[in-house]
Every structure is written in structure tokens, then in C-alpha cells.
Amino acid sequence: MAKDAFAEFMAQAYTMELEAVERYATFAEQLEVHNNKEVAALFRKLSQIETLHAKKILDEMGWPSLPPMPVPYAWEGGEGPETAPQDEIHYLMTPWHALQLALQAEQRAAKFYEAIVAGKAPKKVRAAAAEMAEEEHEHVRLIQQWLASVPKPGRSEEHTSELQ
């Protein structure tokens, strides 16, 4: 990390949230086109939740918007840890499928922050990463509770991603 490692880390965290916002919004639009309004609404809600997370970072840093970044972030695998994979969406998705994607994204985000905590970043960055990892674990718990409230698809619906 460059000069101000903490600001750079927070910019990266903000970027990660924005990528999740955009992906969920895209998913909502795609499912709206396929007339899967229930799951489109769920993805819109997930996008709004991630928007709140991004705003929290801006507020915490006192930034009116994301400051200029020196270089684009190159995520392992090409996508941010909290971004649900584009190839996992399908028009027959149920809320259970959508929440599974969100759960996996939150789990990846928690692992991302945990790796920073365990690494050699400056103390202030590791402390912020530890806080963010805990927030992501809380998101995991909330999505698990949400998952418990939606019906799990029947056997014929479980592998609908093959129908893309």
C-alpha cells in the first residue's frame, strides 16, 4: 500500500462495496426483464443494503465521494470479493438462490478482510480490516436468518443454473 495505507485501504473497501451495489442492480434489471419480479426486488434490496455500507465508508472517512485512486484494483479472479459472479444468475432463480449468492459474497468479503488482518499491513489498516471482517460476519448471520425464512427450492429447481 502507498503513502497513506489507511486511506488506500478504505478506498479499496469502498470500491468493493460499489462493485457489489452495481452487480446486484444489474441482476435486478436482468430478472425484471425475465419477469422474475420477486427475485428482482430482492436484488434491489441487496443493492440498497450495499449502498448503505458504501456510504458508511464515505462518512467515516469524511469523503464527499471516492477520492482519486492511483491504479485500478486487480482482484484475484477478476472480481471483487463481495461481487456475486455474473454467471450464477438465471431467470428461474428463487429468493433462496439469490440469498445463497449473497451469502457466498459476504463470506468471501469476510475472508478478504481476515487475510489483511493476518498480513503485514500497518496496524491501523489491520484494525479497520478486523472491524470490517466482523461486519461481514454479521452480514453472513443476517443473510443466514433471511435464508431460513424463504422456501428452499425443490429438487427440480436446485440446479436451474444449467438452464441459462
Side-chain angles (χ1 to χ4, degrees):
M1 294 197 168
K3 266 196 235 176
D4 186 351
F6 180 69
E8 188 175 323
F9 167 74
M10 294 302 284
Q12 186 177 31
Y14 178 75
T15 300
M16 196 164 95
E17 296 293 344
L18 279 187
E19 288 175 355
V21 167
E22 291 171 4
R23 181 59 51 89
Y24 287 139
T26 298
F27 285 175
E29 291 170 10
Q30 290 173 344
L31 287 164
E32 191 73 37
V33 166
H34 289 290
N35 206 29
N36 190 337
K37 299 200 185 295
E38 181 181 21
V39 178
L42 194 148
F43 278 126
R44 274 199 185 76
K45 182 169 183 78
L46 289 168
S47 181
Q48 291 166 351
I49 291 168
E50 296 299 340
T51 298
L52 294 174
H53 299 160
K55 183 168 177 5
K56 181 180 175 194
I57 292 170
L58 288 180
D59 292 347
E60 185 175 318
M61 294 301 291
W63 294 333
S65 62
L66 182 64
M69 290 182 283
V71 294
Y73 293 107
W75 304 109
E76 188 176 309
E79 305 239 49
E82 200 166 1
T83 305
Q86 182 71 36
D87 62 352
E88 293 292 322
I89 190 167
H90 51 87
Y91 70 98
L92 295 175
M93 291 183 88
T94 67
W96 184 87
H97 293 112
L99 290 170
Q100 284 292 326
L101 286 178
L103 177 62
Q104 292 165 11
E106 297 295 338
Q107 290 169 332
R108 282 191 307 275
K111 285 180 184 175
F112 171 79
Y113 289 123
E114 288 167 348
I116 292 171
V117 172
K120 296 179 191 233
K123 186 177 181 179
K124 188 174 181 181
V125 171
R126 284 183 288 131
E131 185 179 316
M132 290 182 174
E134 184 49 44
E135 286 178 14
E136 298 300 345
H137 283 295
E138 179 60 24
H139 301 161
V140 166
R141 288 187 286 276
L142 292 170
I143 291 174
Q144 287 171 330
Q145 290 172 357
W146 197 354
L147 261 167
S149 72
V150 298
K152 186 174 179 181
R155 225 168 171 45
S156 65
E157 296 172 307
E158 280 188 28
H159 302 289
T160 54
S161 62
E162 296 167 5
L163 300 174
Q164 294 179 351

